[in-house]
Amino acid sequence: MSDTQSTSTTHFGYQQVAEDEKAARVRGVFDSVASRYDVMNDLMSGGLHRVWKAFTIALSGVRPGQRVLDVAAGTGDLSRAFARKVGPTGLVVMSDINGSMLRAGRDRLIDSGVLVPTLLCDAEKLPFPDEQFDLVSVAFGLRNMTHKDAALREMQRVLKPGGKLLVLEFSKPWAPLRGAYDLYSFQVLPRLGKMVAGDPQSYQYLAESIRMHPDQETLAGMMREAGFGHVDWHNLTAGVVALHIGQKF
């Protein structure tokens, strides 16, 4: 009997690693930055991440009484906003594969007077029956997933017919900006990470992971292949970030 193991690989930033190693490596990145995550988001985006998230909430169409799953919820910005939208008759579930980030998000929501269920789980294997949620969101988390296609299929599966998936993620910026954007990403971000979070490597990974993520059209195609009947996207900040919206028919 052969004892050979699978040699399937995937990218971790620009590195090629075994598929079963990527989740642990990503977990290490977020364990390292969890305590300074919100401060770094404000610094590295100049506060724009708040505008991007507010735009996402505005286009969600979430109403009182609805059920929302926030995947890769991080420190809970979207979860908190959705909880206020659905009100006491609705439900928001905040989920993440990383325990450090999930605890930081839970504590932050509690401090702001918002209580939602929190669940440590893998987006590629969501522990919910079919057709449970009116909306699923994932903000700045999809690019870290090993099998994005599997995660998108899972999100489609747990949506009710007519439900929507919102994917807010770094994307491919307008061509004239790419030189300056690369300079900022590979020279400024790691130095900022070193000064503020004591961790330049995690922010080097951030810059690399953005470059390895599918561009706007490719991601839209992946969402269609996952079963979404209608997909469109909105470029934000000249395409530095894009909000993709997929509807389940």
Side-chain angles (χ1 to χ4, degrees), residues 52-62 82 85 135 164-166 232-236 243-245:
W52 301 330
K53 291 169 184 173
F55 182 79
T56 301
I57 297 296
L59 266 63
S60 70
V62 167
F82 285 134
K85 288 279 188 184
L135 182 93
K164 289 193 294 189
L165 169 65
L166 304 181
D232 60 13
W233 73 83
H234 303 267
N235 281 327
L236 307 177
L243 171 64
H244 283 68
I245 303 175

Side-chain angles (χ1 to χ4, degrees), residues 69-86:
L69 172 64
D70 189 13
V71 175
T75 53
D77 285 341
L78 291 186
S79 294
R80 179 173 55 184
F82 285 134
R84 290 170 175 159
K85 288 279 188 184
V86 304

Side-chain angles (χ1 to χ4, degrees), residues 39-186:
V39 173
M40 279 297 298
N41 275 353
D42 279 329
L43 287 173
M44 68 185 186
S45 73
L48 282 172
H49 75 102
R50 299 177 185 274
V51 178
W52 301 330
K53 291 169 184 173
F55 182 79
T56 301
I57 297 296
L59 266 63
S60 70
V62 167
R63 302 187 302 276
Q66 290 192 316
R67 297 166 62 91
V68 176
L69 172 64
D70 189 13
V71 175
T75 53
D77 285 341
L78 291 186
S79 294
R80 179 173 55 184
F82 285 134
R84 290 170 175 159
K85 288 279 188 184
V86 304
T89 59
L91 173 71
V92 174
V93 178
M94 183 168 71
S95 73
D96 204 296
I97 197 172
N98 183 273
S100 298
M101 293 296 295
L102 194 61
R103 284 190 295 274
R106 177 201 60 195
D107 294 348
R108 188 164 175 253
L109 264 64
I110 290 172
D111 289 345
S112 65
V114 176
L115 299 177
V116 302
T118 57
L119 182 66
L120 186 70
C121 70
D122 185 346
E124 297 176 19
K125 300 173 184 176
L126 292 172
F128 302 105
D130 297 353
E131 301 181 359
Q132 291 296 299
F133 296 97
D134 299 286
L135 182 93
V136 176
S137 66
V138 54
F140 305 111
L142 184 64
R143 75 179 187 282
N144 295 313
M145 297 176 190
T146 305
H147 304 102
K148 296 175 183 64
D149 52 350
L152 290 170
R153 286 194 300 270
E154 278 291 272
M155 295 178 212
Q156 193 268 0
R157 179 183 65 79
V158 301
L159 276 168
K160 298 176 182 178
K164 289 193 294 189
L165 169 65
L166 304 181
V167 181
L168 182 66
E169 188 54 88
F170 292 109
S171 200
K172 190 172 184 178
W174 185 43
L177 295 181
R178 288 176 200 161
Y181 183 55
D182 285 347
L183 182 66
Y184 175 74
S185 298
F186 291 104

